[in-house]
Structures are given as structure tokens and as C-alpha cells.
Amino acid sequence: MQKQTDFGAPQALLSLAEVSEILRLSPKTLQRRITAGELPVIRDGRRVHVLPADLQRYIAARRSQ
């Protein structure tokens, strides 16, 4: 019997262009936020993507009360 690991349902990754559009930020500003560690990303070679859950946390952390 093989051990199976359940990682849950896979999430669709967002491109930086999609994230930039969602946040209405320029690509340069988005890159600065990523470099500052404010938004976690997934790097696969030259490709960079964002998990939807990470984007939601980023937005929630900046929401005014």
C-alpha cells in the first residue's frame, strides 16, 4: 500500500499581469511589492505566479477598518 499525501484541490495560479490588473497597479509597482516581500510568489524558472489565497491575504491585510 502506497502512502498518499493530500494537498487539497489545486488552485489556479495568477500571472503577474492578472494580479496587476486586479490590484490596478503598474507592473513596476507590483514588482516592488514582491521584492519587498509584501506579496508571496511562486517562481518556476522565469515564470512568476501568485496563489489566489495569497492575493486575498494581501488585500485583506491592507483593508481599512
Side-chain angles (χ1 to χ4, degrees):
M1 180 176 208
Q2 291 182 353
K3 183 178 177 183
Q4 293 184 357
T5 304
D6 182 17
F7 291 105
Q11 295 182 22
L13 299 174
L14 299 169
S15 70
L16 294 187
E18 291 170 323
V19 174
S20 182
E21 187 175 319
I22 290 167
L23 295 176
R24 295 187 178 181
L25 293 175
S26 72
K28 190 172 185 176
T29 298
L30 179 60
Q31 187 59 52
R32 282 195 295 258
R33 304 259 169 97
I34 292 167
T35 301
E38 297 175 23
L39 179 63
V41 295
I42 295 173
R43 296 184 190 275
D44 183 18
R46 297 180 73 184
R47 296 176 187 244
V48 181
H49 291 90
V50 176
L51 284 170
D54 288 337
L55 179 58
Q56 289 174 344
R57 279 190 286 278
Y58 173 84
I59 292 169
R62 281 146 185 81
R63 185 173 179 189
S64 298
Q65 295 294 331

